[in-house]
Amino acid sequence: MKTALPLPSYAALSAEDEAALTALYTRGTPANTLRAWERDLAYIAAWKAAVFGKPLIWPEDDRVALRFVLDHTLDLTDRPGSAQDAAMELIELGLRLSLACPAPATLDRRIASWRAFHRMKNLASPFEAPLLKQARAKGRRAAARPRQAKSPRPIDRKLLETLLASCDNSLRGLRDRAILMLGFGSGGRRRSEITSLYRDDIGTEDYATKGLIWLRLLETKTTGKSDAPRLPLKGRAARAVIGWIEAAQITQGPLFRSISQSDRALPRKLAPDAIRVILRHRLRLAGLPEDYATPHGLRAGFLTQAALDGAPLAAAMKLSLHRSAIQAQRYYADVEISENPATDLLG
């Protein structure tokens, strides 16, 4: 095998070109993804410092990458040694929760972040090596655990109606009703997708004639600004959103806003975590525990209800914007088989 020769100086990127490439890469990446990368990189850097007493290098050494995989596919509770010592240090720093083996998905995400920074620097990642791929595959099987739902239960139509019944005609009630109905009715929107909406993202050209409004999602987990989807919202959900807009007199700026104690709409947008606070408040008013469901329950509930109503998976995915049919299919598979519409084909 021939050894690759170093590039001549005239063929290498200048520092300015590398900076421009990094800036371009960053601008084309959703803000939530960037934040996740940064958190993961902080964890990885702290782990390497704890294990090797050295900072990260680019590209990273294969042995460091392999050690990272091995240390994160073991339960370190009863395994004294350097790996456990490093994990304890990370726990003290607040970067790790326990000595238990991290979920395979957590390891995969951190490796993906590490690889992303290599790509950003136009460098080869050590995780492409066959040995690393094999170690990851074996570690994933060894640490496999039952899939945990992101919400204790889906917010299906029945639960949604219970929550909506707690919403009065105050501005807070109108806002919360619009948030819940938009989040469910437009395909199960994520928290950040709801709070990122602006008044200009709501198209009302078909509302008077068809009772239909259009949502423009400039940035989601699976789409970017260049291919921003427009999704329909019909019936009660559309009326709830229009009712909120008219009552709060929103002509521009953020669609969903904070409400003052005097029930006045403030100009600032909601933080993504505000959806969790709103949902907990509505659950409490409905006489349910605050942890009965989480915001992801809107997304799970949309797909679950679609399955219960016999909607084709492909049709539901056009609204949920799932890229993977396998992932979306899980919600259909979770529906109690006795409730499956296919069991009533003969009436």
Side-chain angles (χ1 to χ4, degrees), residues 244-286:
W244 156 249
I245 290 174
E246 292 177 347
Q249 299 180 0
I250 298 173
T251 58
Q252 60 182 358
L255 177 62
F256 295 119
R257 307 167 178 219
S258 300
I259 302 293
S260 69
Q261 291 187 349
S262 59
D263 203 40
R264 183 170 57 90
L266 302 176
R268 65 174 181 268
K269 67 183 293 188
L270 294 175
D273 198 53
I275 305 298
R276 184 183 302 275
V277 175
I278 289 169
L279 179 57
R280 285 178 174 175
H281 176 64
R282 291 298 157 190
L283 286 166
R284 187 168 61 251
L285 289 180

Side-chain angles (χ1 to χ4, degrees), residues 181 185 202-215 231-243:
M181 296 194 80
I202 306 300
T204 59
E205 62 270 18
D206 292 326
Y207 182 68
T209 58
K210 300 179 181 179
L212 168 71
I213 64 175
W214 294 92
L215 274 61
L231 301 176
L233 193 65
K234 299 179 178 181
R236 293 171 58 201
R239 293 195 295 273
V241 173
I242 294 298

Side-chain angles (χ1 to χ4, degrees), residues 149-151 155 190-191 279 294-301 331:
K150 293 182 180 179
S151 180
I155 300 177
R190 300 178 179 89
R191 292 180 300 163
L279 179 57
T294 69
H296 189 268
L298 289 169
R299 190 161 176 79
Y331 297 100

Side-chain angles (χ1 to χ4, degrees), residues 89-260:
E89 187 171 330
L90 293 172
I91 292 172
E92 292 176 5
L93 292 171
L95 296 173
R96 182 167 176 157
L97 294 178
S98 71
L99 294 174
C101 179
T106 302
L107 175 59
D108 287 345
R109 193 200 67 233
R110 286 175 176 154
I111 289 175
S113 299
W114 207 347
R115 293 175 63 191
F117 275 91
H118 277 84
R119 290 196 304 271
M120 193 181 297
K121 296 174 180 291
N122 201 28
L123 296 170
S125 162
F127 293 100
E128 303 305 322
L131 179 61
L132 266 295
K133 289 183 177 180
Q134 187 178 35
R136 285 182 65 192
K138 290 184 179 297
R140 193 180 293 111
R141 286 195 293 270
R145 60 184 67 177
R147 181 172 62 91
Q148 298 294 320
K150 293 182 180 179
S151 180
R153 54 187 48 81
I155 300 177
D156 58 12
R157 187 186 293 118
K158 182 179 179 181
L159 177 54
L160 179 66
E161 295 290 1
T162 300
L163 298 175
L164 294 175
S166 75
C167 299
D168 57 20
N169 289 324
S170 65
L171 271 186
R172 188 180 302 276
L174 292 173
R175 180 202 65 184
D176 293 359
R177 181 184 292 114
I179 285 175
L180 291 170
M181 296 194 80
L182 180 147
F184 180 94
S186 63
R189 302 273 58 87
R190 300 178 179 89
R191 292 180 300 163
S192 60
E193 294 168 0
I194 297 173
T195 56
S196 295
L197 287 170
Y198 276 69
R199 176 61 186 84
D200 291 345
D201 297 322
I202 306 300
T204 59
E205 62 270 18
D206 292 326
Y207 182 68
T209 58
K210 300 179 181 179
L212 168 71
I213 64 175
W214 294 92
L215 274 61
R216 178 182 61 179
L217 299 176
L218 285 180
E219 204 163 286
T220 73
K221 192 174 180 181
T222 56
T223 61
K225 293 180 180 178
S226 61
D227 56 345
R230 290 183 79 230
L231 301 176
L233 193 65
K234 299 179 178 181
R236 293 171 58 201
R239 293 195 295 273
V241 173
I242 294 298
W244 156 249
I245 290 174
E246 292 177 347
Q249 299 180 0
I250 298 173
T251 58
Q252 60 182 358
L255 177 62
F256 295 119
R257 307 167 178 219
S258 300
I259 302 293
S260 69

